[in-house]
Amino acid sequence: QLERGVRVKTLCSLGISLEEVASYLDAEAKGDRDVVQALRDKYLCRTRGEIVRLQRIEALLKQSDKELIKMALSEPVIKDVPALRVVSKRDKGSYGETIGRLIGELCEMLFRPVNQKNLVKMSGPVMAIYHDQEYKENDADIEVAIPITGRIEVDEGMEVKNLPPARVLAVVHKGSYDTCLLYTSPSPRDQRGSRMPSSA
């Protein structure tokens, strides 16, 4: 009992709910390795998502005071974005579910041993590229991209590409993706989609 209590406390300290801890320990006791691994992967994805969120905050705090103040007030800022080498994946669905899922899949791939061995690192905040010319509730054409450095190996359906430099209208939104107000103004050089950072 003491050992189980220590394990429960340790798992809870990782941000796992009591209900999830119970499911994990039950599967472990039954020797159900598939369930145990699935739960571990779920928690790992959640942790990596939090890492991405904190890295976005870090990138924001590194901005100049003038830009930071404007962003904090949610005022749109026009700025020049340099060319970026990114790894991306594209899919269709609702904004919240699709963006969150694609971020998780890309992060899982970035942190694989083979890519960590090749010194693959994120070099900027996660971005979403919206390929539709109008708002769609459930069938939005969304591409999530993460700026990277290093030699990377990707899964089928993912792509490494170079985004050209562009002048963009940027705004910071704090909250869920579903409540995000999108300021879209595609460059004449790229009418196929508008690029903006994902919400913090």
Side-chain angles (χ1 to χ4, degrees), residues 55 59 84-86 121-125 146-149:
Q55 286 174 327
L84 295 171
R85 177 173 173 261
V86 303
K121 294 182 179 179
M122 292 179 61
S123 59
I146 300 179
I148 59 165
T149 58

Side-chain angles (χ1 to χ4, degrees), residues 26-95:
D26 286 345
E28 196 174 53
K30 294 175 182 176
D32 194 337
R33 294 184 178 180
D34 289 340
V35 172
V36 169
Q37 188 59 50
L39 290 171
R40 284 183 179 178
D41 290 343
K42 175 184 176 182
Y43 306 145
L44 186 59
C45 251
R46 183 187 301 169
T47 300
R48 287 171 175 166
E50 180 65 10
I51 291 172
V52 170
R53 186 184 72 84
L54 292 174
Q55 286 174 327
R56 291 202 301 265
I57 293 174
E58 179 186 26
L60 174 61
L61 292 175
K62 287 181 178 178
Q63 303 295 326
S64 66
D65 290 341
K66 182 177 180 181
E67 185 174 8
L68 181 60
I69 290 173
K70 289 183 178 180
M71 286 184 170
L73 295 174
S74 298
E75 291 290 340
V77 177
I78 296 176
K79 61 182 181 180
D80 293 315
V81 177
L84 295 171
R85 177 173 173 261
V86 303
V87 58
S88 71
K89 186 172 183 180
R90 184 172 176 176
D91 205 350
K92 290 187 176 182
S94 63
Y95 290 101

Side-chain angles (χ1 to χ4, degrees), residues 95-96 135 173-182 199:
Y95 290 101
Y135 175 79
H173 166 75
K174 184 176 181 180
S176 70
Y177 293 105
D178 293 323
T179 60
C180 183
L181 296 177
L182 303 182
S199 62

Side-chain angles (χ1 to χ4, degrees), residues 130-189:
Y130 304 95
H131 292 276
D132 297 307
Q133 295 301 313
E134 59 184 3
Y135 175 79
K136 292 186 177 181
E137 186 70 29
N138 297 312
D139 195 35
D141 188 356
I142 304 166
E143 183 176 4
V144 169
I146 300 179
I148 59 165
T149 58
R151 182 166 55 87
I152 190 169
E153 295 184 14
V154 300
D155 293 338
E156 184 177 354
M158 297 181 183
E159 183 179 1
V160 178
K161 63 172 70 174
N162 293 309
L163 298 180
R167 173 161 289 186
V168 302
L169 182 65
V171 66
V172 172
H173 166 75
K174 184 176 181 180
S176 70
Y177 293 105
D178 293 323
T179 60
C180 183
L181 296 177
L182 303 182
Y183 292 80
T184 58
S185 181
S187 164
R189 292 174 296 171

Side-chain angles (χ1 to χ4, degrees), residues 3-23:
E3 182 181 353
R4 183 180 176 87
V6 171
R7 298 205 64 197
V8 169
K9 183 177 180 180
T10 300
L11 291 169
C12 286
S13 71
L14 299 178
I16 302 173
S17 69
L18 282 174
E19 183 179 352
E20 291 174 324
V21 168
S23 298

